[in-house]
Amino acid sequence: MDAHKQLTIGLFGFGTVGEGLYKVLQQTPSLNATIKKICIKNPEKKRDAPANLFTTERNELLFDPEINVIVEVINETEPAFQIVSTALKNKKAVVSASKKMIAEHLPEMLELQQQTGEPFLYEASCCASIPVLRNLEEYYDNDLLHSIQAIVNGSTNFILTKMFEEKLDFHEALLLAQQLGFAESDPALDIEGHDAVNKWAIMLAHAYGIIEHPQKLVFNGIENVNLGDAAVAKEKNHDIKLVAQAKKLANGKVAAFVLPQFVKQENHLAFVRNEYNGVVIESGFADKQFFYGKGAGSFPTASAVLSDISALRYQYKYEYKKLYHHVPNKLTSDFFVKAYVSFDDWKFIPREKFEWIEEWHAGEARKYLVGGLHFSELQENSWWKENNTSLILLPDAIIEDIEIRKLKKKSLELAGVV
Ligand code: HSE
């Protein structure tokens, strides 16, 4: 395609993102992109666009030879997969925001792109308005990308901000996030961390060439984070954030997870409030860089879809450089994490699983300890997210084997054993 080529769009979905895109396109005539048809599920719903644009027949879009771009921003995962697959096979370029579908079907999507040679872009699926995927794909060389720490879910960040700064209760904050169009239609996807880990699986593919099913990654949401935890955070002058993290370890493999974490004031992520997202990238020579922007909502998400549509004019495609042109990185669970764990009763906590415990508070109704766990413990067992137990990582939580040996040696030295 070239800059003057007319992009004729078939749009699937007219919810928060679809309607946002419709309005944004009306304000960007120079793009030369028009929506020919919009496929929706419910024809009865009143829509703020001419009635003749709408249809409930998906094939009217998928098999229209004039439509050269399919934009898919629907909610349901399997129909989204069908629509995107059919569109690519029919030689149409596709732009999608369906993070759950993309994360869960990444191997098939990779294969389809290779088979058809068609562009499949999905910048809006991760961190909405922040151009993070194209940057991870194009800018950062594999060897130099040391770590990424990110807030990738706007709703949970919004809820944590409203709870801890404005003293709203959890349900009020969630209701507000829903009213503002940030939350998923099933908000459990946000609160339990599914949305964040879906985005993280997609980002890992572009950052490190790691293709992993999101449900196989270690993750949690914010449903067990409580006011007692917030009080401890305040004492330590930390914030609590839901942080997605990936770090290249000394063995060349990558540690990756999505967990609540105490964040120091000087960490850029502490600056990220409400529905904003933030990404801190640490790379060789450049040191730290911080991307910041709205991570949810109609126009911020539509702006990323728009940018993808615009990129189609110069035939932009993801090359998955870290996967196909480098030796892809591998995930590892061979490291330790330093965690704060608060709980109602000691009986829920397998103390013997901790490599070390350096702090514990047992007197109160709500008890807590701070200690070190081997990461495989989080991978293999779920006591840490059951029975109202709240696990929050400490800042600089990842401890590699080498360091722990040093730590153990040091404590033995201090005890006069060696
Ligand atoms: N529910 C998502 C969020 C929407 O809160 O981040 C944007 O992907």
Side-chain angles (χ1 to χ4, degrees):
M1 290 185 195
D2 61 54
H4 303 291
K5 174 148 184 177
Q6 169 70 33
L7 301 177
T8 305
I9 298 171
L11 171 64
F12 281 86
F14 202 70
T16 311
V17 184
E19 189 170 357
L21 178 70
Y22 175 73
K23 290 181 180 157
V24 162
L25 275 175
Q26 286 177 324
Q27 292 174 42
T28 49
S30 66
L31 199 59
N32 223 3
T34 45
I35 296 177
K36 184 174 179 192
K37 270 278 170 232
I38 305 172
C39 185
I40 43 155
K41 211 167 68 174
N42 178 3
E44 308 304 329
K45 216 163 147 183
K46 200 172 155 9
R47 322 257 175 188
D48 201 5
N52 64 357
L53 273 180
F54 294 98
T55 176
T56 51
E57 264 308 311
R58 63 164 79 160
N59 288 349
E60 268 187 49
L61 284 64
L62 292 171
F63 293 94
D64 182 336
E66 211 178 83
I67 289 177
N68 51 10
V69 179
I70 292 293
V71 176
E72 176 281 305
V73 289
I74 67 170
N75 246 325
E76 298 88 358
T77 305
E78 289 317 307
F81 179 60
Q82 295 306 330
I83 289 163
V84 170
S85 312
T86 312
L88 289 171
K89 285 180 193 158
N90 282 354
K91 292 285 175 198
K92 297 187 192 303
V94 178
V95 175
S96 167
S98 293
K99 52 244 165 145
K100 186 169 185 288
M101 181 279 280
I102 299 164
E104 288 179 356
H105 289 284
L106 206 45
E108 294 107 303
M109 295 319 308
L110 289 170
E111 214 179 299
L112 270 167
Q113 286 168 85
Q114 290 212 308
Q115 273 172 15
T116 64
E118 290 300 319
F120 173 51
L121 305 181
Y122 42 85
E123 186 63 70
S125 68
C126 298
C127 301
S129 72
I130 309 177
V132 69
L133 292 183
R134 253 186 273 169
N135 269 306
L136 288 172
E137 180 69 32
E138 304 298 334
Y139 189 82
Y140 296 96
D141 186 87
N142 204 8
D143 293 337
L144 300 180
L145 191 54
H146 296 330
S147 72
I148 319 175
Q149 234 196 350
I151 292 172
V152 296
N153 181 270
S155 300
T156 45
N157 203 54
F158 181 88
I159 293 169
L160 291 173
T161 308
K162 294 292 171 209
M163 277 171 73
F164 298 153
E165 289 184 22
E166 295 172 29
K167 308 292 169 220
L168 253 61
D169 82 28
F170 186 91
H171 296 284
E172 275 175 312
L174 170 60
L175 193 66
L176 208 53
Q178 286 176 299
Q179 286 165 350
L180 291 167
F182 307 149
E184 297 301 300
S185 29
D186 173 6
L189 290 174
D190 295 303
I191 289 155
E192 293 171 8
H194 298 282
D195 181 72
V197 79
N198 287 335
K199 291 166 177 167
W200 206 227
I202 297 171
M203 287 170 73
L204 287 173
H206 291 278
Y208 290 110
I210 290 170
I211 308 296
E212 185 68 299
H213 195 284
Q215 294 295 322
K216 284 197 173 160
L217 294 169
V218 168
F219 73 97
N220 202 3
I222 60 161
E223 70 271 36
N224 291 340
V225 175
N226 56 67
L227 289 174
D229 301 338
V232 174
K234 203 163 176 203
E235 247 170 57
K236 296 179 191 284
N237 203 21
H238 292 161
D239 281 322
I240 299 173
K241 299 284 186 191
L242 183 61
V243 178
Q245 200 165 341
K247 185 179 179 188
K248 219 182 224 184
L249 304 186
N251 63 11
K253 294 186 178 169
V254 174
F257 46 80
V258 178
L259 291 168
Q261 187 158 12
F262 290 116
V263 168
K264 289 183 193 166
Q265 290 303 313
E266 62 263 32
N267 186 327
H268 292 86
L269 296 185
F271 176 78
V272 181
R273 298 169 63 250
N274 292 316
E275 80 275 25
Y276 280 83
N277 283 185
V279 185
V280 178
I281 293 182
E282 214 172 332
S283 72
F285 311 119
D287 205 355
K288 275 189 187 159
Q289 290 161 307
F290 178 46
F291 297 77
Y292 171 76
K294 285 195 172 164
S298 179
F299 289 141
T301 313
S303 81
V305 175
L306 187 77
S307 172
D308 279 349
I309 294 173
S310 170
L312 290 176
R313 291 192 308 184
Y314 52 91
Q315 277 291 5
Y316 179 76
K317 291 177 197 173
Y318 299 133
E319 286 180 62
Y320 301 93
K321 291 191 175 71
K322 319 295 170 64
L323 181 64
Y324 297 134
H325 303 174
H326 290 247
V327 179
N329 285 107
K330 288 199 165 60
L331 284 173
T332 180
S333 48
D334 194 13
F335 61 97
F336 299 85
V337 286
K338 198 162 153 181
Y340 154 102
V341 184
S342 76
F343 47 95
D344 292 334
D345 197 308
W346 281 105
K347 70 179 181 214
F348 300 130
I349 306 300
R351 270 174 285 181
E352 71 287 356
K353 299 283 178 72
F354 282 80
E355 301 289 327
W356 74 94
I357 294 178
E358 56 190 52
E359 214 182 300
W360 61 91
H361 297 256
E364 326 269 321
R366 185 82 183 163
K367 306 161 198 5
Y368 75 84
L369 61 81
V370 175
L373 286 161
H374 196 268
F375 189 69
S376 57
E377 183 55 32
L378 303 186
Q379 211 162 32
E380 287 158 18
N381 298 300
S382 52
W383 57 265
W384 55 276
K385 39 176 157 175
E386 289 164 357
N387 299 305
N388 209 21
T389 300
S390 163
L391 179 140
I392 303 175
L393 292 186
L394 266 72
D396 308 313
I398 297 175
I399 297 178
E400 296 186 51
D401 196 32
I402 295 167
E403 293 175 55
I404 186 136
R405 282 202 198 113
K406 275 192 219 151
L407 271 177
K408 277 187 176 161
K409 190 160 174 279
K410 198 165 172 205
S411 60
L412 291 175
E413 276 166 9
L414 286 173
V417 179
V418 290

